[in-house]
Amino acid sequence: MSDLDNRQIERMDNVFRAQKAAFEAERHRSYKDRLRDIDAIGALTKKHADAIKDAAAADFGVRSRCETQLTEVTYMTTAVKHTRRHLWSWMQNRKVSIPGNLAPGKAYIRREPRGVAGIISPWNYPFQLAFSPILAALAAGCRVMLKPSELTPNMSELMRNMLAEEFDESHVAVLLGGPAVGEAFTKIPFDHLLYTGSTHVGRLVAKAAAENLTPVTLELGGKSPVIIDQGFKAKDAAASLSFGKFMNAGQTCIAPDYVLAPADQARPIGEAIIAKAEKSYPDWATDEDYTAIVSDRHYDRLNAMIEEARSGGAEILQASGGDPGNARKIAPTVVLNPPEDSKLMQEEIFGPVLPILAHNGLNDAMKRVNAGDRPLALYVYSKDKKAARRVLEGTISGGAVVNNTMLHYSVEDLPFGGVGASGYGAYHGEAGFETFTHARSVLEVPVWHPSRLIAPPYGKLFDMIANK
Ligand code: NAD
């Protein structure tokens, strides 16, 4: 049954029209007002920190409260501080030089708010992946409409109520619903649309936005590889691989998706990762810091992936633990040498399952990475800086970390985004401000300007200027 009815479409249109009118009435929101907006986002995040943890726990069944604190609440309060600190300088016009034959005059770039921004967010970090683009759009002086995920209804409802405390709907509005609402949402002629989610839906979003020539930022997923160099100790790689893969039970867009390791290291690395997971979660089945899978569909999908690899001859290593009962939990899992044509190696895993395959040297590993779609992140572990640089130069990915996983996400000054099938455009920090502003090129010249001299009938003066 469709989750969309005429009333919802009418409401969307009305909200969009109200936001458009409000933007036209205040095209350049002042620095002071934008600071107020940013502070409101920070204050709401702090005030509702417990409710955010409760909502995430209710939506996932089990969602580590510490991880919700770290990845949703603390991430946002840090991003707010960063934006607050830099907004003034981001808003300043940037002077550029002009060619001598255009002097006198001055040329500069004005960063102007794009207008009404649409944001579509996913379920895996349901608060942060909605509030972080909202923060960027507000810093840019835009109005915002958010369509959060239907898979995390408690968080979506909470965000709607939170934002209504501080913002009129003509400034920030939340539209609830599933794919049908999302589809109608993408037909709105936004001034910018930022979509976070799967590559499949990203394609549909880009197509719909193209009808209105709406510029789009696509934050998509994919298979983020790990390449381990010869001589890198298993236990040194295991800590960050275990953290990156089992945080949020692997339901992270930049989680390591699979590992390519030297042949003699594949098993020791796999065993070290499981040993680390057993230390982190003494009983994953009952541990409140080991998150559950968000839905039955994803739970069944992941179990089917493991079983397919097992029946294809792969070896499965799993952390020990009791019975999770009805919680949709899957043990921290490493799969040694799954078949290349198995779903584990063909699709983004998005769960606590880590395949490890053997490579025959860095060139072989890079060749295998390059044979697939361009990933959102790439992780290389090497004691040799030159070897790590060689991997960076020989591959393409949205972002990369040397000797760790995922930490680049928290550096606000690094633009965050994909490339190829993992998306295009970026946000975080200044990149987010740039995404939601238009770089308007301005040239100012005096009333009498020598350019007047270049006009037909062309003669000697023209030759002097144009032919030099
Ligand atoms: P999804 O594409 O199923 O859903 C994301 C959002 O799109 C939801 O709000 C959904 O309602 C909406 N939607 C669904 N169909 C739509 C349509 N036809 N038109 C418009 N909107 C529609 O993705 P998901 O399952 O929620 O998220 C998981 C995916 O997101 C993974 O691939 C993951 O890698 C990716 N992801 C990427 C990032 C990033 O920053 N690059 C972050 C988190 C997740």
Side-chain angles (χ1 to χ4, degrees), residues 392-408:
L392 293 179
E393 282 166 5
T395 54
I396 296 176
S397 65
V401 181
V402 177
N403 296 338
N404 215 303
T405 61
M406 308 210 299
L407 298 182
H408 63 309

Side-chain angles (χ1 to χ4, degrees), residues 428-443:
H428 285 193
E430 189 168 15
F433 179 84
E434 287 176 351
T435 287
F436 290 103
T437 51
H438 166 63
R440 192 178 194 184
S441 300
V442 182
L443 175 67

